[in-house]
């Protein structure tokens, strides 16, 4: 039998070596492919407007205007203005009626979209690559010459109020995350919701929207980005031609991001008519340019995402997913790492049956403490691969690439090359994950937001007391044994 075992081992060894060589070859090819990705070119015009593009061999392209404007630049009196402008932006310009604008875009087979976030507003267009010049002109017209008449504003107001009701009734994830921001960053502008309160929506007028556009739509706060079969030199000429008249100076003080302050606290909206409890728990993370952001993203990937409709939950590499599937702790959970200019939220959102709130939260916090103290190299390697897969999948196609360019250039002034990002992820070790977990999670006051039948959710002080483990060091343990 011993000889058979030795023979079996000898036979397996070449296969293992071949597998190692294959893995090494694949890793080298992967790194080479990333290094050969086309670079993102960025140019700053004299007005301060930045032009950025990436050439992608495709018949379709996406071009967009990205602006430093959003809910975080608002206060309690005008919160909701940026989102309101989104709803009237495509209702026509001083040069084009709404029907003429829609017909012109439709005849090209293009799609226009406006999106508002907490720190950015984007105007994007998907089109054939040959139509990029025309779409740049249309986007410039929409931003510089919005019509903003009273009739359009009145209709948009009714639409927005209806959408707010729909979100509150049907998109509880967004509601909970809004509550999470409201309690975590209370007293600061980052607590503002994108929608704004209904009272503000009812009072916003056309002049308010014109004032908003005049204050924020300035060249130094804009990025014209494109991805597809486009050339940087041509995009620069288009920017000069159609956006050259955008003002670069401000009447008074330029809009600035106010300082933020994280507050460990909670917000609960108990509603027993809702069948499931929706809960989010988070600690303060780091800003988008912080050196810890990659390690925190790996830590988030290690916790993972799970839904009970997924197959093989009990065989998942995520320990929290295994516990959730085996003990039916929740319907789904999602670990997140939200980053802003100077801060962030690192945490988890889950949906569970009312009587499972306590057990689910116990397992979540237990896993967080394990991140701080016992996470292994193998787990981190798996999480790094998952993170790289997810990030690369999110950059599939010109549309995703264009939005990533606009976001990064606005926040960082440049776009990080994929091979640099891959290298930063690959350099994260288990020790790095434990270090950032100790820094941001261990013994930190969390923010909690919960909606639905949440009576079984532990009170805040119990949640706070589970944010650390009391453990004896080896020397203290030996000392107590002798005593």
């Amino acid at each position: 039998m011993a000889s058979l075992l030795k023979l079996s081992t000898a036979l397996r060894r070449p296969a293992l070596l071949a597998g190692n060589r294959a893995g090494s070859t694949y890793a080298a090819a992967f790194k080479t492919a990333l290094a050969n990705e086309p670079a993102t070119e960025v140019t700053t015009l004299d007005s301060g407007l930045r032009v950025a593009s990436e050439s992608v061999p495709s018949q379709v392209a996406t071009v967009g205007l990205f602006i430093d404007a959003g809910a975080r630049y608002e206060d309690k009196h005008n919160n909701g203005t940026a989102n309101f402008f989104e709803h009237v932006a495509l209702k026509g310009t001083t040069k084009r009626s709404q029907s003429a604008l829609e017909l012109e875009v439709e005849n090209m087979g293009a799609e226009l979209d406006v999106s508002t976030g907490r720190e950015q507003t984007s105007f994007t267009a998907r089109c054939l690559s040959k139509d990029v010049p025309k779409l740049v002109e249309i986007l410039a017209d929409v931003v510089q010459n919005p019509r903003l008449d009273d009739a359009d504003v009145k209709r948009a107001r009714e639409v927005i109020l209806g959408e707010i009701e729909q979100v509150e009734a049907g998109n509880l994830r967004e509601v909970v995350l809004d509550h999470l921001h409201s309690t975590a960053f209370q007293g600061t502008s980052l607590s503002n919701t994108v929608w704004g309160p209904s009272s503000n929506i009812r009072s916003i007028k056309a002049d308010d929207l014109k004032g908003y556009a005049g204050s924020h739509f300035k060249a130094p706060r804009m990025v014209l980005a494109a991805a597809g079969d486009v050339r940087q030199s041509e995009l620069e000429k288009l920017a000069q031609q159609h956006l050259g008249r955008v003002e670069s100076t401000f009447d008074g003080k330029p809009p600035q991001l106010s300082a933020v302050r994280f507050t460990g606290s909670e917000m609960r909206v108990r509603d027993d008519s809702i069948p499931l409890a929706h809960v989010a728990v988070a600690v303060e993370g780091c800003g988008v340019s912080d050196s810890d952001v990659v390690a925190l993203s790996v830590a988030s990937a290690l916790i993972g995402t799970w839904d009970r409709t997924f197959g093989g939950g009990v065989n998942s590499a995520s320990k929290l997913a295994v516990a959730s599937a085996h003990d039916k702790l929740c319907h789904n959970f999602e670990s997140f790492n939200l980053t802003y200019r100077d801060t962030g939220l690192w945490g988890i959102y889950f949906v569970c049956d009312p009587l499972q709130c306590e057990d689910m939260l116990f397992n979540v916090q237990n896993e967080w403490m394990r991140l701080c103290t016992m996470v292994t190299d193998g787990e981190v390697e798996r999480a790094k691969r998952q993170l790289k897969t997810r990030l690369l999948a999110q950059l599939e196609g010109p549309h995703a690439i264009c939005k990533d360019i606009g976001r990064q250039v606005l926040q960082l002034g440049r776009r990080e090359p994929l091979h640099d990002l891959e290298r930063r992820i690959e350099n994260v070790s288990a020790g790095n994950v434990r270090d950032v977990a100790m820094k941001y999670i261990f013994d930190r006051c969390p923010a909690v937001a919960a909606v639905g039948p949440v009576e079984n959710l532990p009170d805040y002080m119990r949640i706070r007391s589970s944010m650390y483990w009391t453990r004896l060091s080896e020397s203290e343990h030996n000392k107590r044994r002798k005593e």
Side-chain angles (χ1 to χ4, degrees):
M1 179 63 73
S3 61
L4 288 175
L5 288 174
K6 290 180 180 178
L7 178 61
S8 176
T9 303
L11 288 173
R12 287 198 302 269
R13 188 176 295 120
L16 290 172
L17 292 175
N20 289 338
R21 287 196 295 269
S24 177
T25 301
Y26 172 79
F30 177 69
K31 293 178 183 294
T32 301
L34 290 183
N36 289 331
E37 281 288 303
T40 300
E41 299 182 71
V42 182
T43 306
T44 303
L45 306 183
D46 293 339
S47 63
L49 186 143
R50 286 159 289 181
V51 181
S53 67
E54 181 174 311
S55 180
V56 179
S58 173
Q59 294 298 314
V60 296
T62 296
V63 60
L65 269 172
F66 299 83
I67 305 171
D68 269 329
R72 193 176 170 188
Y73 289 97
E74 300 169 345
D75 56 37
K76 64 180 181 180
H77 303 293
N78 63 7
N79 182 205
T81 306
N83 180 67
F84 204 120
F85 187 91
E86 170 190 327
H87 284 74
V88 297
L90 302 181
K91 300 301 182 183
T93 71
T94 56
K95 295 170 58 177
R96 295 177 171 91
S97 65
Q98 181 179 354
S99 59
L101 174 62
E102 292 174 351
L103 185 61
E104 189 173 1
V105 172
E106 186 176 343
N107 286 340
M108 287 187 287
E111 297 178 3
L112 287 183
D113 181 53
V114 186
S115 177
T116 306
R118 283 186 162 81
E119 291 186 338
Q120 297 179 5
T121 297
S122 63
F123 300 78
T124 56
R126 300 188 193 192
C127 59
L128 296 175
S129 293
K130 66 182 182 64
D131 292 326
V132 166
K134 187 61 179 175
L135 266 302
V136 171
E137 188 272 326
I138 291 176
L139 290 175
D141 186 28
V142 167
V143 171
Q144 294 179 94
N145 309 304
R147 188 173 58 184
L148 301 179
D149 64 27
D150 292 332
D152 289 335
V153 170
K154 183 178 179 180
R155 284 192 291 270
R157 178 179 293 113
E158 299 304 319
V159 171
I160 295 171
L161 291 173
E163 289 179 349
I164 291 175
E165 291 182 2
Q166 291 177 2
V167 169
E168 291 177 347
N171 191 346
L172 289 178
R173 177 185 180 277
E174 186 169 342
V175 171
V176 170
L177 290 181
D178 275 345
H179 286 328
L180 185 66
H181 283 78
S182 296
T183 190
F185 299 110
Q186 55 187 275
T188 73
S189 59
L190 197 51
S191 68
N192 294 336
T193 68
V194 172
W195 296 95
S198 299
S199 57
N200 283 3
I201 303 304
R202 293 188 177 93
S203 64
I204 290 175
K205 299 179 174 59
D207 288 342
D208 299 318
L209 300 177
K210 292 175 183 176
Y212 159 79
S215 300
H216 292 83
F217 293 1
K218 303 289 187 179
R221 301 172 63 82
M222 290 185 177
V223 172
L224 176 64
D229 188 11
V230 294
R231 300 292 177 269
Q232 176 72 4
S233 57
E234 296 174 2
L235 195 63
E236 291 174 20
K237 293 177 182 177
L238 292 171
Q240 290 280 17
Q241 179 182 354
H242 300 297
L243 295 163
R245 293 190 298 274
V246 177
E247 295 180 0
S248 58
T249 58
F250 297 85
D251 296 331
K253 188 177 180 180
Q256 298 288 336
L257 289 177
S258 59
V260 293
R261 178 187 64 256
F262 180 90
T263 302
S265 55
E266 69 173 2
M267 180 182 293
R268 302 187 188 207
V269 181
R270 183 176 173 183
D271 185 349
D272 291 344
S273 67
I274 299 174
L276 300 174
H278 299 252
V279 182
V281 185
V283 293
E284 184 178 16
C286 64
V288 67
S289 60
D290 195 284
S291 59
D292 292 331
V293 69
V294 173
L296 279 175
S297 295
V298 172
S300 180
L302 200 147
I303 300 297
T305 298
W306 179 81
D307 191 286
R308 67 176 183 174
T309 60
F310 294 175
V314 294
N315 299 313
S316 174
S318 167
K319 296 184 184 301
L320 184 59
V322 172
S324 299
H326 186 271
D327 297 327
K328 297 180 174 57
L329 296 175
C330 68
H331 288 240
N332 60 276
F333 70 80
E334 170 194 348
S335 184
F336 57 79
N337 181 30
L338 305 177
T339 56
Y340 299 101
R341 289 285 181 90
D342 48 0
T343 189
L345 285 174
W346 188 97
I348 193 168
Y349 165 80
F350 61 86
V351 180
C352 66
D353 291 321
L355 295 180
Q356 293 292 344
C357 291
E358 184 174 9
D359 290 344
M360 179 60 187
L361 189 58
F362 171 82
N363 280 270
V364 167
Q365 293 187 281
N366 190 65
E367 191 66 5
W368 284 5
M369 294 305 98
R370 204 178 64 80
L371 271 183
C372 299
T373 55
M374 296 186 295
V375 67
T376 65
D377 291 324
E379 291 175 298
V380 171
E381 288 301 313
R382 185 254 317 163
K384 291 194 298 187
R385 293 190 183 98
Q386 289 186 331
L387 177 61
K388 286 188 281 187
T389 300
R390 187 176 77 244
L391 292 177
L392 291 176
Q394 290 173 350
L395 295 176
E396 188 68 30
H399 186 68
I401 293 173
C402 178
K403 295 185 75 171
D404 189 58
I405 292 172
R407 176 185 60 83
Q408 289 203 43
V409 174
L410 270 185
Q411 291 180 327
L412 306 174
R414 63 183 185 89
R415 184 176 183 236
E416 183 177 22
L418 288 180
H419 60 87
D420 282 354
L421 178 60
E422 192 274 339
R423 176 183 52 79
R424 291 173 64 198
I425 295 174
E426 197 59 36
N427 287 340
V428 174
S429 66
N432 298 141
V433 172
R434 289 192 293 268
D435 288 343
V436 297
M438 288 295 293
K439 179 179 178 181
Y440 292 93
I441 304 171
F442 194 85
D443 202 18
R444 298 294 178 181
C445 296
V448 181
V451 174
V454 294
E455 182 183 12
N456 187 242
L457 187 69
D459 66 69
Y460 183 81
M461 294 311 297
R462 279 188 60 195
I463 296 174
R464 175 63 181 89
S465 67
S466 297
M467 293 298 292
Y468 63 89
W469 276 350
T470 303
R471 310 181 74 193
L472 296 176
S473 66
E474 185 176 355
S475 60
E476 291 173 332
H477 179 67
N478 292 334
K479 181 180 178 180
R480 293 198 176 190
R481 286 184 63 186
K482 292 177 181 178
E483 293 174 351

